[in-house]
Amino acid sequence: MPSPRAIVGMDAHERITRNTAEVVTEEEIETLADDPDGKRAYVGYEPSGVLHIGHMLTANKLIDLQEAGFEVTVLLADVHAYLNDKGSFAEIRSTAERMRDQFIAYGLDESNTQFVLGSDFQLDEDYTLDLHALELETTLARAERAMADIKSGDSVKVSQAVYPLMQALDIPYLGVDLAVGGMEQRKVHMLARDVLPSIDREPPTSLHTPLIADLGTGEGKMSSSTGVTISMEDSREEIEEKVNKAYCPPTADPDSTEDGVERENPVLQVFEYHVFPRFETVVVERPDEYGGDLEYEAYEPLESDLESGELHPADAKGALAEYLDRLIAPGREQLAE
RNA sequence: CCGCCCUUAGCUCAGCCUGGUAGAGCAGCCGACUGUAGAUCGGCUUGUCCCCCGUUCAAUUCGGGGAGGGCGGACCA
């Protein structure tokens, strides 16, 4: 079972910033960490019905923030999903509720998490007028750049140019102190920092989680739309199969491909960003002929054991599937109801 | 509104001129080899050929209409 005990000894700043790719700015984060109680953080998600490993990564950060004393808001961004061509508004809305339940099942503290539907405030007159003010401040090229890593489809619609501006505006309207997202959100957050002062709002502090490489190849970014992802719909068997097929050379720093494409070790990344943040100890079960079980209390020793050959990738994968299954099981049961 | 180009396997595209229901590369899947995966080797799968109508014994191919996408429509070149 996931245990918050693992991080009891950690101070607020460390809890807030661990496993992040970037914080903007470090000074602002330090100020928040000095007195985190009652501070507010948020992440927005386009409702998709089923939580996948990408959602889980930012959710881990929300859990860290809650344990550090933050209040957490999850924006179920129905209007954003609609603007990003994800289906009819009615369809999108109906999936939002399922998503809420899965976040709770995953481990967000229900009593300390506020779920807000975007359409509850984004259609108000004040909001709309502020949005138009931001539109007036932003070139199409800038909005398009901000959407580069987020947009669906291969052409940019006007709706998708409005999208990042709404994200910027959501921050003051939700009254949050910290915007959280994956690294694909950074250009949106930078845009927010640039444009919000034009309507007399504070530039928001933001925190970005890393993007995990494609499980199958170690290249690029894992995506729910292309390639293999792991979601709350997966059975134990499917998780084992996907993990077993994952790219996993015995190193944390694999060579680039012949074409010069950078590669990561996605198996290690999932251990680092998904398993160790939620488990106090990780036991790698291993047949006696290969040396018997191994036990880890932190990520780094596991990585160095893989590098040295002490831990074979096949055994690491067995353990990874086991712990991923434990993380997903509550959400999977939730979905089954 | 007008003009040009595009639409064929999951992706990028060839084939159409000279009608007989289709191919490559990549991806994917299976096997061999590694105690994982990858790499390497061997094998294999996949298609409403955008839609409708017409011509024809026969249309992915020809003709007409439509839809979707891209680019262009001052001057200069």
Side-chain angles (χ1 to χ4, degrees):
Chain A
M1 277 289 127
S3 166
R5 293 263 177 277
I7 52 161
V8 146
M10 217 174 275
D11 74 17
H13 183 267
E14 189 178 352
R15 229 176 260 204
I16 292 165
T17 59
R18 68 169 181 162
N19 293 334
T20 58
E22 172 188 55
V23 295
V24 180
T25 63
E26 181 60 43
E27 293 70 30
E28 294 170 20
I29 290 286
E30 280 169 16
T31 303
L32 289 173
D34 284 343
D35 182 23
D37 280 330
K39 292 293 191 303
R40 295 162 55 82
Y42 105 107
V43 185
Y45 301 98
E46 293 183 15
S48 69
V50 176
L51 242 59
H52 59 67
I53 197 165
H55 297 117
M56 288 157 58
L57 189 57
T58 42
N60 287 343
K61 181 45 62 189
L62 294 181
I63 292 169
D64 280 341
L65 290 165
Q66 286 179 331
E67 287 171 351
F70 274 66
E71 292 172 12
V72 161
T73 297
V74 171
L75 175 67
L76 300 171
D78 53 351
V79 177
H80 281 93
Y82 179 66
L83 292 175
N84 202 18
D85 211 8
K86 294 294 174 63
S88 77
F89 193 68
E91 286 167 354
I92 291 163
R93 261 187 118 148
S94 72
T95 63
E97 191 67 22
R98 295 172 68 202
M99 210 176 190
R100 188 201 110 96
D101 294 341
Q102 284 182 64
F103 273 115
I104 298 300
Y106 181 64
L108 284 184
D109 176 1
E110 189 168 10
S111 66
N112 192 22
T113 307
Q114 189 186 359
F115 290 87
V116 178
L117 212 52
S119 54
D120 284 346
F121 66 97
Q122 290 163 344
L123 304 174
D124 292 350
E125 184 176 332
D126 288 352
Y127 185 98
T128 302
L129 284 172
D130 274 339
L131 178 60
H132 291 329
L134 296 184
E135 289 164 4
L136 216 40
E137 287 295 319
T138 309
T139 63
L140 214 41
R142 179 76 195 271
E144 205 173 318
R145 260 191 296 143
M147 278 301 279
D149 296 324
I150 301 172
K151 72 171 191 290
S152 68
D154 41 13
S155 57
V156 185
K157 308 285 176 60
V158 173
S159 64
Q160 291 168 324
V162 173
Y163 182 120
L165 296 175
M166 288 181 54
Q167 244 179 293
L169 202 52
D170 288 344
I171 295 164
Y173 272 78
L174 289 170
V176 295
D177 304 290
L178 177 65
V180 175
M183 277 296 277
E184 81 285 352
Q185 301 294 329
R186 76 178 307 278
K187 286 181 178 169
V188 172
H189 289 151
M190 296 309 125
L191 176 63
R193 288 180 72 88
D194 282 351
V195 299
L196 285 176
S198 75
I199 57 167
D200 297 320
R201 303 288 197 166
E202 291 293 313
T205 305
S206 62
L207 178 161
H208 303 127
T209 58
L211 300 179
I212 287 181
D214 180 81
L215 205 55
T217 64
E219 300 168 28
K221 306 302 174 225
M222 196 190 301
S223 162
S224 55
S225 49
T226 61
V228 178
T229 190
I230 288 171
S231 84
M232 297 244 171
E233 280 181 324
D234 290 338
S235 65
R236 168 75 190 230
E237 292 69 31
E238 285 169 322
I239 292 169
E240 286 174 356
E241 193 179 324
K242 288 174 180 180
V243 170
N244 184 46
K245 283 182 178 176
Y247 175 70
C248 186
T251 172
D253 187 22
D255 294 334
S256 299
T257 65
E258 290 174 8
D259 305 326
V261 180
E262 297 278 329
R263 278 190 290 202
E264 305 290 337
N265 185 323
V267 170
L268 284 178
Q269 288 184 318
V270 176
F271 266 114
E272 183 174 13
Y273 298 115
H274 287 282
V275 176
F276 282 99
R278 300 287 310 274
F279 295 93
E280 194 172 347
T281 59
V282 172
V283 175
V284 177
E285 294 185 8
R286 208 163 58 162
D288 288 341
E289 63 169 309
Y290 295 129
D293 293 359
L294 290 168
E295 196 169 311
Y296 298 97
E297 299 197 346
Y299 166 73
E300 288 76 15
L302 184 146
E303 180 188 304
S304 50
D305 274 3
L306 191 84
E307 293 269 8
S308 71
E310 170 63 26
L311 173 62
H312 191 277
D315 295 321
K317 283 181 173 181
L320 184 62
E322 165 65 25
Y323 285 92
L324 274 179
D325 186 60
R326 289 194 208 175
L327 285 171
I328 280 168
R332 183 169 51 214
E333 287 163 21
Q334 228 293 315
L335 274 176
E337 285 174 14

